Amino acid sequence: MSIMDQNGGSVIAMVGKDCVAIASDLRLGNEALAVSSNFQKIFPITDRIYLGLPGLATDVTTLKERFRFRVNMYTIKEEREIEPETFAHLVSSTLYEHRFGPYYVEPVMAGISKTPSGGFKPFIAATDLIGCLNYAKDFVVAGTASSKLYGVAEGLWEPDLEPEDLFETISQTIMNALDRDAYSGWGCIVHVLTKDKVITRTLKARMD
Amino acid sequence: METSFAITGKGYVIVAADTTASRSIIKMKTDEDKVKTLSPHLLMAYSGEPGDTVHFAEYVERNIRLYQIRNLYPLRPSAAAAWIRRALATSLRSRSPYSVNLLVGGYDTASHDPHLYWIDFLGTMTEVPFAAHGYGAYFALSLLDRYHDPEASLEDGLIALKRCIRQVEERLVVTPGKYKVKVVSKDGIQEIDL
Amino acid sequence: MEHSFASPSGHPQPHQRHFNPYSENGGTILAIAGANFSVIAGDTRQSEGYSIQTRYAPKVFRLTDKAVLATNGFAADGNMFVKKVRQRLEWYRHAHSKDMPIRAIARLIQTMLYARRFFPYYVYNILGGIEEDGSGAVYSFDPVGSYEREACRAAGAAQSLVQPFLDNQIYFKNQTPAHGTSHPAHLPLDHVLELVIDSFTSATERHIEVGDGLEIYVVLAKGSTPQVLDRWQGVTEMTTTQDGERMFVIRRNLKRD
């Protein structure tokens, strides 16, 4: 039994056409015993960055608090909002600070970044528990259902999906992956980010 | 086998814990109060490694009291729970971590609603409508999935609690025995004799 | 191989040598049943650890004119097991002058696997073919013989990648049919073939033990027309009898990296 599987939980992020989506399950368990069906693992960092933290639940909460603190300090010092690329490096270096006694989480980030010409560009990234960054053009996954998420996402995802189609794709991907994972499930939540709004929906999923 | 339960209802939280203190297979005491009153509207049931439990509970109790003395108002349940969780999370990566599991129940006098937090020794915290620790959890959680009602009166809440206690008595190999039951609501904390 | 070394005290110590009779050779298999056909597929890469032993080692085998067996796990056990099943099927032909029906083959496989309950064939089996009533069938087994008839099943290295995809696309799990309509119980052949190919290209993309080649066996029930196969390339007919079930293999390349 790995520490990463103590509480269960999974997160996935996908890129669409001028939009990104990030989704997670809502279960919190103690190994096989389910304790909560409303444990949030995705946190808004700014209006255009969402962070998913699957892994050991105590570290999920600690890191959520820690990132809020560090992003607030950044905002105060720089007098501007943090960009997704910068935040990804913040996540990476925060985790690498604990290289030899890590936080047991695998962060997944989704955001819309500003380009120098004033446009917007979708951004997703993930890191391992010691902060090794992985940028992807299509999708990133993490958590106890990661292998299932890879399989379904690889089959369903296609480039340049519009926000509503991206929502459908990520929802089907996470729900079908979750149904084959004993440690994830008990409901799920999806956020679709576009340049001017965020659509958040809680899905009616299997509760077993 | 230590067991604790907590149930939220309309304007209250019931927190209950068994009253046995044991060393290995020996019952040392059968009237131990393992539900601490942290502030006028905050209760905490604790269980786990003997020694750690009382030490940690008293540490929490005094820090919550200190905050109240310094600021002239008590911490709200969500803030108190977050502080307690952080204390456990920090302790987890220290030389000798506390092995203490908690149920923190409180009535928020600012927003006028009850809150219950399930916290384990790792510092895992989640807000829940009902919760349990110990072997009793395996009975109580499934029973409360069926019988819990967030809008239930105190009488109905206590009936749900009795169902859990009865089932543990009937099916658990080693029965915990008597329970200490406390309720927190807008009127503060009261102890209930089942 | 381990060797015995002198202990710090200078005296050579007896060393327990351990022989592990099993190995794991990667790869993935998959079968889907249609109304009057069955599709059984497997990749052809055989590996041990990070080494590729061969890029072409079939995992899918024709048993009779209407039954195909796919094996996955320890390749040596798989090949031996197929050999023994074929032997039993031949004895059956000599005794009864006909091929064993697929549901009987399924029960035979259970008995043969359970006979080795305490030294099992380290193999996951999927049996596909046509039932006596003409319906497409898929039977899946665990290494000690527990089995079940299903509409679709994936097994092997990429089972966890492929099975949830199939749940979604074959069983329409988590999909609500439009008002007044319902999901089909069985899909048409060309649609099934497309799903099989998508499953394997996806598995190849994300799993290092899957790739190189893909063999898809198609078994058609008596009287059904193989016209849909015309638009597919690399089709070889394997039928041996006239006006019975017909069998085809589609061979395709998968990525070799």
Side-chain angles (χ1 to χ4, degrees):
Chain A
M1 190 70 196
S2 153
I3 300 178
M4 296 296 282
D5 302 337
Q6 173 79 17
N7 304 116
S10 301
V11 176
I12 179 172
M14 278 180 176
V15 170
K17 188 172 165 55
D18 302 324
C19 58
V20 285
I22 184 167
S24 81
D25 70 325
L26 292 171
R27 181 182 182 271
L28 174 98
N30 221 205
E31 298 198 356
L33 177 70
V35 173
S36 173
S37 58
N38 191 211
F39 186 77
Q40 301 292 340
K41 335 174 156 51
I42 300 180
F43 309 101
I45 301 299
T46 68
D47 291 345
R48 289 181 293 111
I49 307 172
Y50 274 62
L51 169 69
L53 292 168
L56 189 68
T58 178
D59 292 346
V60 171
T61 315
T62 305
L63 279 175
K64 167 192 81 173
E65 290 167 358
R66 208 181 160 97
F67 287 134
R68 190 174 72 154
F69 170 74
R70 289 195 143 181
V71 168
N72 282 347
M73 292 307 285
Y74 181 98
T75 316
I76 293 165
K77 283 180 182 162
E78 296 276 325
E79 296 183 324
R80 65 190 171 95
E81 246 184 20
I82 196 167
E83 282 299 309
E85 287 83 353
T86 321
F87 179 69
H89 282 97
L90 174 66
V91 169
S92 172
S93 46
T94 304
L95 291 179
Y96 198 79
E97 273 177 21
H98 304 271
R99 171 63 181 80
F100 297 110
Y103 285 118
Y104 294 95
V105 291
E106 294 177 321
V108 168
M109 291 146 268
I112 305 278
S113 56
K114 278 201 180 92
T115 60
S117 56
F120 294 93
K121 195 169 73 62
F123 173 87
I124 56 163
T127 87
D128 65 4
L129 76 169
I130 52 167
C132 176
L133 271 166
N134 163 28
Y135 304 106
K137 289 190 185 67
D138 43 10
F139 50 84
V140 283
V141 305
T144 53
S146 59
S147 64
K148 287 110 181 167
L149 287 165
Y150 268 130
V152 189
E154 195 66 57
L156 298 186
W157 185 86
E158 48 189 280
D160 297 324
L161 290 162
E162 296 294 331
E164 275 307 307
D165 297 330
L166 185 67
F167 165 76
E168 201 61 44
T169 306
I170 199 169
S171 302
Q172 286 295 321
T173 304
I174 195 159
M175 281 201 285
N176 288 285
L178 257 33
D179 290 350
R180 283 280 176 185
D181 185 32
Y183 291 109
S184 301
W186 261 32
C188 42
I189 188 165
V190 181
H191 308 273
V192 182
L193 285 68
T194 58
K195 68 175 167 30
D196 43 20
K197 68 170 189 289
V198 179
I199 307 159
T200 299
R201 294 195 182 106
T202 307
L203 303 179
K204 182 174 173 289
R206 282 182 73 105
M207 299 298 276
D208 57 359
Chain B
M1 311 256 168
E2 282 193 308
T3 287
S4 47
F5 307 115
I7 305 169
T8 58
K10 197 173 170 58
Y12 65 85
V13 187
I14 306 170
V15 181
D18 72 287
T19 55
T20 49
S22 56
R23 295 269 122 59
S24 172
I25 55 162
I26 311 291
K27 263 186 192 162
M28 305 299 282
K29 206 161 174 280
T30 54
D31 59 350
E32 174 90 336
D33 184 356
K34 291 184 273 191
V35 185
K36 222 171 193 53
T37 300
L38 297 179
S39 74
H41 292 94
L42 199 60
L43 283 170
M44 180 174 81
Y46 54 90
S47 57
E49 182 78 15
D52 279 13
T53 48
V54 176
H55 192 271
F56 183 77
E58 286 180 1
Y59 169 73
V60 168
E61 183 186 35
R62 277 148 214 227
N63 273 97
I64 300 277
R65 179 77 188 114
L66 177 63
Y67 185 96
Q68 200 173 339
I69 293 166
R70 277 181 173 163
N71 299 283
L72 305 175
Y73 59 87
L75 274 176
R76 291 168 71 175
S78 59
W83 186 86
I84 296 166
R85 187 209 82 81
R86 186 37 100 78
L88 281 171
T90 313
S91 144
L92 182 70
R93 286 183 162 87
S94 71
R95 201 170 52 78
S96 62
Y98 285 112
S99 277
V100 186
N101 298 317
L102 308 166
L103 298 175
V104 175
Y107 184 82
D108 192 330
T109 48
S111 61
H112 308 288
D113 50 0
H115 291 277
L116 170 62
Y117 299 89
W118 181 95
I119 303 173
D120 76 1
F121 71 100
L122 300 167
T124 311
M125 178 171 83
T126 182
E127 188 172 1
V128 282
F130 50 83
H133 275 302
Y135 285 109
Y138 291 93
F139 304 90
L141 293 187
S142 45
L143 268 170
L144 291 170
D145 275 333
R146 172 67 184 78
Y147 292 110
H148 178 259
D149 174 8
E151 293 298 304
S153 65
L154 181 57
E155 290 69 43
D156 291 344
L158 288 169
I159 290 171
L161 175 69
K162 280 179 195 160
R163 277 186 197 275
C164 298
I165 292 174
R166 212 180 72 83
Q167 204 56 222
V168 169
E169 270 167 7
E170 197 164 303
R171 292 294 176 179
L172 193 65
V173 178
V174 183
T175 318
K178 289 206 300 293
Y179 288 83
K180 181 77 88 179
V181 183
K182 294 181 188 178
V183 178
V184 56
S185 64
K186 70 175 195 319
D187 307 322
I189 289 158
Q190 65 175 125
E191 195 179 322
I192 285 176
D193 201 11
L194 275 185
Chain C
M1 264 295 157
E2 294 170 59
H3 298 279
S4 45
F5 291 99
S7 69
S9 63
H11 300 288
Q13 289 209 310
H15 203 276
Q16 175 71 295
R17 226 175 279 244
H18 186 67
F19 172 65
N20 181 196
Y22 291 122
S23 161
E24 170 82 57
N25 298 110
T28 279
I29 52 171
L30 155 63
I32 300 169
N36 57 352
F37 65 87
S38 187
V39 173
I40 307 93
D43 70 325
T44 65
R45 174 175 294 184
Q46 191 180 98
S47 59
E48 190 168 15
Y50 293 133
S51 306
I52 295 172
Q53 292 172 324
T54 170
R55 297 192 191 277
Y56 184 71
K59 281 193 279 289
V60 191
F61 304 95
R62 198 185 84 107
L63 294 180
T64 66
D65 284 332
K66 56 190 175 207
V68 174
L69 183 61
T71 63
N72 195 251
F74 179 27
D77 270 5
N79 292 328
M80 198 57 187
F81 183 70
V82 169
K83 192 172 167 176
K84 298 233 172 198
V85 172
R86 280 179 167 159
Q87 185 180 51
R88 293 289 293 267
L89 293 176
E90 190 167 328
W91 289 346
Y92 182 96
R93 260 193 305 274
H94 292 318
H96 299 95
S97 307
K98 65 162 191 162
D99 277 337
M100 189 186 280
I102 194 162
R103 65 187 210 103
I105 302 177
R107 183 59 65 90
L108 171 73
I109 288 173
Q110 166 168 77
T111 321
M112 290 174 67
L113 289 170
Y114 199 81
R116 294 275 295 247
R117 174 64 180 77
F118 298 108
F119 185 22
Y121 289 109
Y122 199 74
V123 170
Y124 285 88
N125 284 296
I126 300 177
L127 175 69
I130 304 296
E131 210 73 66
E132 280 179 306
D133 66 2
S135 61
V138 165
Y139 291 89
S140 64
F141 300 80
D142 79 351
V144 288
S146 290
Y147 79 108
E148 179 184 16
R149 187 180 168 186
E150 298 175 285
C152 82
R153 173 57 64 187
Q159 181 189 40
S160 64
L161 284 77
V162 176
Q163 192 66 53
F165 176 68
L166 260 29
D167 290 343
N168 187 225
Q169 298 294 310
I170 305 282
Y171 292 121
F172 298 103
K173 288 277 168 68
N174 293 112
Q175 288 193 260
T176 315
H179 198 68
T181 63
S182 63
H183 293 308
H186 293 289
L187 297 170
L189 179 58
D190 53 350
H191 191 147
V192 166
L193 290 172
E194 264 159 19
L195 287 174
V196 169
I197 290 163
D198 278 3
S199 298
F200 275 94
T201 37
S202 293
T204 304
E205 201 66 40
R206 293 286 176 177
H207 201 115
I208 54 167
E209 292 173 3
V210 182
D212 293 333
L214 173 59
E215 279 190 331
I216 311 171
Y217 279 69
V218 181
V219 195
L220 300 178
K222 262 181 220 155
S224 52
T225 50
Q227 277 157 357
V228 284
L229 290 171
D230 291 348
R231 74 179 194 86
W232 291 87
Q233 295 201 320
V235 185
T236 315
E237 178 145 16
M238 301 197 82
T239 318
T240 53
T241 52
Q242 295 230 291
D243 43 78
E245 288 81 6
R246 295 183 69 177
M247 191 179 292
F248 301 85
V249 203
I250 303 171
R251 291 199 172 83
R252 290 173 67 98
N253 288 320
L254 288 172
K255 279 170 72 176
R256 290 151 64 90
D257 54 2

